[in-house]
Amino acid sequence: MTKLKPRPEWTDARRIVVKIGSALLVDRATGRLRATWLNSLGDDVAALAAAGKEVVLVSSGAIALGRHGLGLPKGALELEQSQAAAAVGQISLSAAYREVFAARGLAVAQVLLTLGDTEERRRYLNARRTIDTLIAHKCIAVVNENDTVATTEIRYGDNDRLSARVASMITADCLVLLSDIDGLYTAPPGSRPDAVRLDEVRAITPEIEAMAGDAGSELSRGGMKTKVEAGRIALGSGIHMVIASGKALHPLRQLVEGAPCTWFVASNDPVAARKRWIAGQLVPAGTVHVDAGAEKALLGGKSLLPAGVVRIEGAFGRGDAVVIKSPTGMELGRGLVAYDATEARQIAGKKSGEIAAILGHAGRAELVHRDDMVVGRG
Ligand code: GLU
């Protein structure tokens, strides 16, 4: 392969999240770990760490390893089967990483997250502090979804989006998605010989979404669709992302040396971390419908006052993320709400000066403060 100049998105990155797909880690035929490959990844990560980069891994493979351990049949698993498989497989997965990194003088930590850990601000801050502390101690955090307790409603379901949320949470500079395909193609490359790989994507347009299709392989849940979703989260957070093939040995070194891939390049607009997090919320807890006057105020950069609220939906708590909708039902923005749903219903349509009398205690004049709000989210 001809050596290309490494891209600045990579060379300038200090904090890097690397997502490793199940298909790379686990041999499809035997259900066993691909030890040689994992060792080559260990070399690459150790080299990055030695160069002063902070690397966090998001690794799939628990279910793929565990289903073999439990002797489960091929094909789709029931939720409880995949939860049980993850419980078994996660041990082998962590043990394998520990062994590989110990041989290279690096400590490893297992971090299992559920959806709420990145979506609820308090838990998000907590998880971020933990990972930051691990990084400060030069420990390689290996993150996965806590599949054993994740149920259908409260799961990411795929590690592509999880890795993007983690990258956003810890304000990484670059997210690498290593999978069995070397980038985003204009059409599914297997079935369409005219498909062309894109070198660079700068925005998730409807055309890009249309290219993503659905297909995933048997071992991994995410297809190109979830990778493009991850791209949306990453770019929305000002983080560069790259989709690269991890099939060959030393996948990160290959990437630096110019292996084919697709870069999702973030613009440099400085967006506050809090607003980024709000913009990337996957599961808002409720909806606040506002009147035309409030719509105008929000679009003009003002806070949302209770007086402009016509209806509240959902059972959110104080500090949760809500969607704000216009009188025509259009999403105006998202924000963190200063009152819980019960209180919000009581003060909806009322003047801020009446809040204390209605609720029996004084609170913020705004239902959603403009600092806690992102208006005009894509
Ligand atoms: N968390 C799952 C596992 O460890 C993988 C999800 C995915 O493949 O994206 O098995």
Side-chain angles (χ1 to χ4, degrees):
M1 195 187 324
T2 46
K3 281 208 176 190
L4 295 178
K5 207 165 152 264
R7 295 189 56 126
E9 291 81 15
W10 175 265
T11 44
D12 295 348
R14 197 174 55 91
R15 187 170 279 195
I16 300 167
V17 174
V18 182
K19 183 256 169 175
I20 299 143
S22 301
L24 301 175
L25 266 174
V26 184
D27 186 286
R28 203 178 291 253
T30 64
R32 289 188 201 287
L33 262 176
R34 296 178 63 223
T36 311
W37 182 85
L38 185 55
N39 271 296
S40 81
L41 177 85
D43 286 341
D44 290 3
V45 171
L48 290 172
K53 310 259 187 202
E54 299 169 344
V55 185
V56 169
L57 303 181
V58 174
S59 181
S60 305
I63 297 174
L65 285 171
R67 67 184 298 159
H68 177 72
L70 286 179
L72 292 168
K74 283 212 157 57
L77 297 178
E78 299 293 330
L79 177 64
E80 57 275 15
Q81 286 179 317
S82 56
Q83 288 177 323
V88 172
Q90 185 63 38
I91 300 180
S92 324
L93 191 62
S94 290
Y97 278 106
R98 193 177 57 183
E99 195 182 313
V100 163
F101 284 109
R104 290 158 182 83
L106 290 166
V108 162
Q110 169 185 278
V111 179
L112 298 180
L113 299 176
T114 43
L115 189 62
D117 294 318
T118 59
E119 305 310 298
E120 286 169 34
R121 187 158 177 83
R122 210 164 1 100
R123 286 167 65 185
Y124 154 94
L125 292 174
N126 184 41
R128 181 169 76 177
R129 208 172 305 124
T130 307
I131 298 178
D132 273 341
T133 307
L134 290 168
I135 292 173
H137 284 82
K138 308 243 172 287
C139 196
I140 307 290
V142 181
V143 183
N144 196 0
E145 177 155 24
N146 194 351
D147 292 302
T148 298
V149 294
T151 61
T152 317
E153 310 81 61
I154 54 147
R155 76 198 318 205
Y156 301 91
D158 66 86
N159 278 7
D160 294 322
R161 289 179 310 151
L162 168 64
S163 63
R165 300 296 294 149
V166 168
S168 160
M169 177 167 85
I170 62 170
T171 40
D173 305 299
C174 182
L175 167 64
V176 182
L177 298 185
L178 290 179
S179 77
D180 49 7
I181 183 156
D182 61 0
L184 175 64
Y185 283 75
T186 49
S191 53
R192 291 270 301 273
D194 58 333
V196 177
R197 186 183 46 75
L198 303 181
D199 281 330
E200 203 174 280
V201 170
R202 287 189 177 263
I204 311 295
T205 59
E207 290 74 30
I208 296 292
E209 272 177 344
M211 289 173 195
D214 272 320
S217 73
E218 191 197 318
L219 284 181
S220 57
R221 295 214 196 99
M224 199 43 78
K225 199 174 157 83
T226 54
K227 291 182 178 46
V228 167
E229 273 304 310
R232 181 192 302 284
I233 297 168
L235 296 194
S237 305
I239 298 168
H240 306 301
M241 183 181 99
V242 57
I243 300 176
S245 169
K247 277 189 184 159
L249 297 181
H250 298 290
L252 297 173
R253 196 205 291 165
Q254 302 261 356
L255 184 63
V256 183
E257 291 179 353
C261 61
T262 301
W263 276 97
F264 289 67
V265 182
S267 72
N268 292 324
D269 296 354
V271 190
R274 189 175 176 83
K275 292 214 174 201
R276 283 194 224 144
W277 175 79
I278 296 166
Q281 285 275 296
L282 295 175
V283 193
T287 306
V288 176
H289 297 268
V290 304
D291 63 18
E295 175 178 7
K296 202 162 156 240
L298 295 191
L299 296 176
K302 302 258 167 47
S303 296
L304 175 62
L305 302 178
V309 175
V310 291
R311 193 159 54 89
I312 302 281
E313 271 173 59
F316 46 84
R318 198 174 158 238
D320 280 349
V322 291
V323 172
I324 304 167
K325 288 201 172 166
S326 75
T328 57
M330 196 181 81
E331 180 169 332
L332 290 171
R334 293 182 177 209
L336 304 181
V337 66
Y339 292 90
D340 67 27
T342 312
E343 291 179 336
R345 285 192 177 91
Q346 288 175 269
I347 59 175
K350 302 288 194 302
K351 294 213 163 55
S352 297
E354 297 174 68
I355 294 175
I358 296 169
L359 300 181
H361 62 86
R364 287 178 81 157
E366 308 84 15
L367 187 70
V368 181
H369 192 276
R370 60 183 177 171
D371 290 349
D372 295 335
M373 186 176 0
V374 179
V375 175
R377 173 187 184 268

